[in-house]
């Protein structure tokens, strides 16, 4: 719902403003999701999902439009391809980096809650939650492992949301400051097409 509106607004509102506000909304949404407890219901995340989702919808069209607007029209396809490549690299890097932090935080929490936890238990929690932990835990401590794994998972999840929110806020500030109107290539008599009208580069 938000992305088409953002695409139309980009012809009236500077892209850096849309990017700044959008990424800031993502940060706010992530902070709204934070504070989950073991007993939280699914609705605890709902407000954060809505705000962050609207922020993503506000940001994405501006990113795509800015990528092609800073080059000559003849190189628009190349710019779109570079934008897509960096988007995929960013997703892969973000998943790997935040995944490593998530695993580390679970390890730390487990060391605090269950110092003598069996080897590999935190890996099971990170990949499959308390259900997976219960399957690999010794029978004598299974109930305790299930409880502690839920606490460790939620604690690591909250830490992850905080880190991601900080990154989003930093991105909002950088997007607002570094995307400058003078970097856009002016084409006489031609308006930059919205992202959904720009052809994707064809792979060789």
């Amino acid at each position: 719902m938000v992305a088409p509106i953002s695409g139309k607004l980009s012809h009236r509102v500077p892209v850096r403003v849309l990017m700044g506000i959008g990424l800031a909304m993502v940060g706010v949404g992530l902070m709204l999701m934070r504070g989950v407890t073991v007993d939280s219901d699914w609705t605890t995340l709902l407000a954060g999902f809505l705000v962050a989702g609207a922020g993503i919808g506000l940001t994405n069209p501006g990113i795509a439009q800015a990528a092609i607007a800073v080059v000559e029209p003849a190189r628009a396809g190349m710019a779109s391809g570079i934008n897509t490549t960096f988007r995929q690299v960013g997703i892969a890097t973000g998943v790997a980096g935040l995944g490593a932090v998530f695993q580390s935080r679970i390890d730390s929490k487990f060391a605090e809650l269950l110092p003598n936890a069996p080897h590999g238990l935190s890996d099971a929690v990170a990949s499959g939650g308390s259900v997976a932990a219960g399957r690999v835990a010794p029978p004598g401590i299974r109930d305790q492992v299930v409880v502690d794994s839920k606490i460790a998972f939620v604690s690591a999840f909250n830490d992850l949301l905080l880190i991601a929110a900080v990154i989003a806020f930093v991105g909002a500030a950088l997007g607002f400051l570094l995307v400058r109107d003078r970097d856009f290539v002016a084409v006489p008599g031609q308006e930059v097409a919205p992202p959904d009208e720009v052809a994707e580069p064809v792979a060789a």
Side-chain angles (χ1 to χ4, degrees), residues 115-200:
N116 298 320
H119 178 70
L121 193 57
S122 60
D123 294 339
V125 176
S127 60
S130 60
V131 175
R135 292 196 191 105
V136 300
I141 60 170
R142 184 166 295 159
D143 291 341
Q144 184 63 40
V145 165
V146 170
V147 172
D148 288 346
S149 63
K150 290 179 180 179
I151 296 172
F153 188 97
V154 167
S155 175
F157 180 68
N158 285 323
D159 290 343
L160 212 63
L161 290 174
L162 177 60
I163 294 170
V166 171
I167 293 172
F169 287 131
V170 171
L174 292 177
F176 186 80
L177 294 173
L178 299 181
V179 178
R180 303 166 300 186
D181 292 340
R182 65 175 179 272
D183 292 329
F184 288 71
V185 176
V187 181
Q190 182 178 343
E191 191 174 18
V192 177
D196 56 352
E197 297 178 11
V198 178
E200 290 293 330

Side-chain angles (χ1 to χ4, degrees), residues 92-108 126 156 160 163:
T93 303
V95 170
L98 292 176
V101 172
F102 186 62
Q103 179 71 62
S104 174
R105 296 305 301 155
I106 288 179
D107 287 340
S108 298
L160 212 63
I163 294 170

Side-chain angles (χ1 to χ4, degrees), residues 4 12 21 42 52 63 72 74 103 109 187 193 201:
R12 301 177 180 85
I21 294 175
W42 68 272
I63 293 175
E72 298 293 337
Q103 179 71 62
K109 196 65 177 178
V187 181

Side-chain angles (χ1 to χ4, degrees), residues 7-78:
K8 294 179 180 179
L9 284 176
S10 63
H11 297 297
R12 301 177 180 85
V13 180
V15 172
R16 67 189 184 94
V17 174
L18 295 177
M19 289 175 61
I21 294 175
L23 286 173
M25 288 177 65
V26 172
V28 171
L30 291 168
M31 290 302 293
L32 287 174
M33 294 181 213
R34 193 166 179 266
V36 175
T37 66
V38 173
D39 299 320
S40 292
D41 198 10
W42 68 272
T43 53
T44 303
L45 299 173
L46 188 57
F49 278 146
L50 292 174
V51 175
I56 292 170
L58 191 65
T59 304
N60 273 340
I63 293 175
Q65 185 167 345
I68 64 169
V70 295
V71 299
E72 298 293 337
R75 297 185 176 183
M78 178 187 69

